[in-house]
Amino acid sequence: MINLNILFLQGHEADKLNLFAGIANNLNNDNITMLAFSSYEKSFYKKYTKHKIDFIPRLLSKISKDNLNEYKKYTEDELFDMSLFSNKFNELNNWKVNADYINNLVVIFLEYLHEKNKQSKIDTIVMWNNTMLFDRIAWHFCMKNNINYVMFEQGYFRPFTLTIDNKGVNYENSLPRDRKFYEDIVVDYDRLHQYLSKSEYLSKDDLININRDSKFKKLLFIIMDKLKAKFSSDFIDCTYNNESINEKIVRIVKKKNNINTHQEELPESYIFVPFQVHDDSQIILNSPNIRSMEELVEVVDKASKELYELGRRDIYFVFKEHPVDLNRIDYSGLKEKYKNNKQLVFLSSGNTNELINNSMAVITVNSTVGIEALMKSKKVITLGNAFYNIEGIVEHCDELDNLSKSIIKTLDNDFNQELVDKFLYYLRFDYQLEMNWRNPRNEDIKKIVAFIKNSKED
């Protein structure tokens, strides 16, 4: 199809902006618009593409507040969902939650998309997942107005795969949930065993990343935008995560502490329970029963006591903090609270691969550690909404009071290696696109271009 009207949404960081610019440049299409939500994004796109740029901070400031209609199409639940992650993300990081400001951004950005679609019918919107505010709004807009969209996310086999989907990512992706579908998959076991955990086509040089801009350069643009929004009536600050400038500076200049990889002596028989990032979108959006790592420990603590009373006193639970949260979240109070339960072991750091290898099973809310565990032929119990909640592949426990029963069932049942192999084979070689998306080759960009064009034709 020629000259599809395509919008590229928020790239967020330089590597994603670079990917979007590369895709746009290879579409051979003069009807493409790059949406820039900050001066940094605008500067990047001006340097690396020749396509039209819609500078959202100025365009949103020009939308009349007296004639807003698009938002009226949506239910209260849909509007709430658009702002949910941003408000919760600010709350979890102890930043100011300005719900009125976020809600205003929702309404005026919906109106911008409406006017854009009215001027020239939008064929496709390209976005990096559907979590952050403007991506979530655009996702709802596409579904409400029957507009095609293509969504990206990091692949599950890192760093050499990319997720590309025209339905969603993570729990909302298009992967079949039907066990029968995977039972019918034909597996090339030589390929599976050789390339499940490593690249099939990329060389070492292909996996080298390019750092295009320093964090300090991006920080200067952020400060500049803050000043424009403060002193100019025709500029709206589109920063919806309310981290202060001082906090940003401290986070950028602060040296990362070396993570101690020394492995403490662990119980002989344990279930590994990895923490997820405290403000993880998977927890905020896809975990209806567990809203924090504190709640995760509480649930496992209850199950451990029930197992102890049942005589299963050889089962221990090893928790490990997520490395992203080291130096961000203090779990010392949590450890103090459960210090008398000797069945619970807390680690601040450690080798995740070894912890999985030496475990009897893994309990996760819905993180990619569940996939890593399946790759190592480990039994998995999930407590939240995960795309791999498939009968015979994992044990999904949505009634948390029954976790001890799910644990006994999982440990006593055989691991279905054949079905797991079929699932992993499809996920790795059919669903995921092999590429280094941070520094893509031309041939990989062309595969993405073909997907975008074919998704519209479908």
Side-chain angles (χ1 to χ4, degrees):
M1 304 185 79
I2 306 299
N3 274 350
L4 295 175
N5 185 12
I6 300 176
L7 304 186
F8 280 80
L9 211 63
Q10 194 163 25
H12 303 288
E13 290 95 24
D15 49 12
K16 302 178 183 70
L17 293 167
N18 178 59
L19 177 66
F20 282 6
I23 297 168
N25 293 341
N26 278 270
L27 275 165
N28 296 320
N29 188 338
D30 58 10
N31 201 17
I32 289 173
T33 306
M34 317 302 290
L35 274 57
F37 292 79
S38 67
S39 297
Y40 174 75
E41 292 184 7
K42 179 182 178 183
S43 172
F44 192 100
Y45 282 143
K46 285 184 70 175
K47 183 176 180 180
Y48 292 106
T49 80
K50 296 186 181 302
H51 293 290
K52 179 185 177 185
I53 301 171
D54 270 12
F55 190 40
I56 302 302
R58 294 207 187 279
L59 291 176
L60 294 189
S61 73
K62 299 182 187 308
I63 292 178
S64 171
K65 308 300 186 294
D66 300 324
N67 191 25
L68 299 171
N69 294 303
E70 176 66 25
Y71 81 96
K72 297 175 184 177
K73 298 180 182 177
Y74 303 82
T75 66
E76 288 187 8
D77 286 343
E78 289 169 335
L79 292 170
F80 175 79
D81 184 72
M82 294 180 204
S83 61
L84 170 62
F85 177 79
S86 296
N87 285 328
K88 192 66 178 177
F89 188 89
N90 285 316
E91 177 187 327
L92 290 172
N93 286 288
N94 297 314
W95 301 333
K96 181 181 178 181
V97 178
N98 192 336
D100 290 340
Y101 180 75
I102 296 295
N103 291 338
N104 181 58
L105 286 177
V106 169
V107 171
I108 59 177
F109 187 57
L110 280 172
E111 200 64 26
Y112 160 82
L113 291 173
H114 168 78
E115 290 298 323
K116 193 78 175 174
N117 193 43
K118 183 178 177 181
Q119 293 167 11
S120 179
K121 180 72 172 69
I122 300 171
D123 294 300
T124 300
I125 295 181
V126 178
M127 65 189 86
W128 186 274
N129 75 43
N130 62 343
T131 298
M132 302 297 185
L133 182 67
F134 296 110
D135 309 281
R136 198 76 178 175
I137 297 170
W139 181 58
H140 278 281
F141 178 82
C142 287
M143 291 188 292
K144 186 69 68 175
N145 292 280
N146 196 29
I147 294 172
N148 183 54
Y149 59 91
V150 173
M151 202 174 292
F152 295 94
E153 180 58 279
Q154 291 193 66
Y156 302 112
F157 306 88
R158 298 173 185 173
F160 54 86
T161 58
L162 174 73
T163 299
I164 176 170
D165 200 306
N166 58 0
K167 180 182 177 185
V169 295
N170 297 320
Y171 181 65
E172 293 160 341
N173 69 27
S174 63
L175 277 165
R177 308 298 200 265
D178 180 21
R179 171 176 176 157
K180 180 65 169 58
F181 174 87
Y182 296 101
E183 288 176 337
D184 293 338
I185 296 295
V186 177
V187 176
D188 179 341
Y189 280 97
D190 288 339
R191 190 184 188 195
L192 177 71
H193 294 148
Q194 189 169 357
Y195 296 112
L196 179 62
S197 302
K198 69 178 184 179
S199 174
E200 188 173 16
Y201 304 112
L202 303 178
S203 67
K204 290 182 179 179
D205 289 342
D206 292 328
L207 293 173
I208 295 174
N209 296 328
I210 297 177
N211 295 321
R212 293 190 177 274
D213 293 307
S214 70
K215 291 182 178 180
F216 289 100
K217 180 178 179 180
K218 187 174 182 181
L219 180 61
L220 289 175
F221 276 105
I222 291 173
I223 294 172
M224 182 173 67
D225 282 356
K226 293 288 185 185
L227 292 173
K228 287 180 182 178
K230 185 174 181 179
F231 296 108
S232 175
S233 60
D234 66 345
F235 189 101
I236 289 181
D237 182 9
C238 291
T239 306
Y240 39 83
N241 295 335
N242 296 324
E243 183 182 19
S244 71
I245 294 297
N246 287 340
E247 288 172 319
K248 289 179 189 293
I249 294 173
V250 169
R251 177 167 54 82
I252 289 173
V253 302
K254 184 175 65 176
K255 292 182 179 179
K256 292 183 179 179
N257 291 342
N258 291 327
I259 297 175
N260 177 20
T261 58
H262 172 70
Q263 191 69 66
E264 298 181 27
E265 187 173 344
L266 297 175
E268 184 175 338
S269 302
Y270 67 85
I271 293 174
F272 179 43
V273 190
F275 278 12
Q276 292 176 224
V277 182
H278 80 284
D279 53 14
D280 186 0
S281 63
Q282 287 283 72
I283 299 297
I284 295 174
L285 298 176
N286 293 320
S287 179
N289 297 324
I290 292 178
R291 314 301 296 181
S292 67
M293 296 306 98
E294 288 82 0
E295 290 184 15
L296 173 63
V297 176
E298 181 181 351
V299 167
V300 174
D301 172 65
K302 178 178 180 294
S304 75
K305 292 174 179 176
E306 292 173 355
L307 291 168
Y308 193 87
E309 292 299 319
L310 291 172
R312 302 297 293 264
R313 301 179 180 182
D314 60 330
I315 303 176
Y316 292 80
F317 298 86
V318 174
F319 299 90
K320 174 181 169 287
E321 296 177 37
H322 197 286
V324 170
D325 274 339
L326 289 178
N327 306 317
R328 295 175 70 208
I329 303 298
D330 182 6
Y331 285 116
S332 58
L334 183 67
K335 297 172 185 178
E336 178 68 20
K337 179 179 179 179
Y338 295 100
K339 66 180 182 180
N340 293 326
N341 186 345
K342 303 305 180 184
Q343 306 303 114
L344 308 185
V345 178
F346 293 91
L347 302 177
S348 295
S349 60
N351 188 305
T352 298
N353 284 328
E354 290 184 14
L355 289 167
I356 297 173
N357 283 333
N358 297 324
S359 69
M360 296 186 293
V362 169
I363 294 176
T364 180
V365 179
N366 51 16
S367 82
T368 55
V369 175
I371 298 297
E372 294 171 22
L374 292 174
M375 291 169 64
K376 298 177 182 296
S377 299
K378 294 294 180 178
K379 299 173 181 179
V380 175
I381 299 171
T382 61
L383 306 180
N385 297 335
F387 71 87
Y388 52 89
N389 284 349
I390 300 165
E391 180 193 358
I393 293 176
V394 303
E395 167 72 12
H396 176 55
C397 177
D398 55 5
E399 296 290 338
L400 300 183
D401 287 340
N402 293 329
L403 179 56
S404 59
K405 295 178 182 178
S406 290
I407 291 171
I408 292 173
K409 176 184 175 182
T410 298
L411 295 179
D412 290 349
N413 285 352
D414 293 332
F415 183 79
N416 192 334
Q417 186 68 63
E418 181 181 5
L419 184 60
V420 169
D421 283 346
K422 290 173 179 285
F423 168 75
L424 291 174
Y425 187 85
Y426 183 83
L427 179 65
R428 166 69 176 90
F429 299 107
D430 290 290
Y431 177 68
Q432 300 273 265
L433 178 62
E434 179 166 319
M435 65 178 293
N436 176 14
W437 61 268
R438 296 182 191 276
N439 186 20
R441 305 175 304 172
N442 286 336
E443 54 262 47
D444 296 324
I445 292 292
K446 290 176 181 178
K447 292 177 184 177
I448 295 175
V449 167
F451 183 97
I452 293 173
K453 291 181 177 179
N454 290 336
S455 70
K456 177 57 182 174
E457 291 174 358
D458 292 342

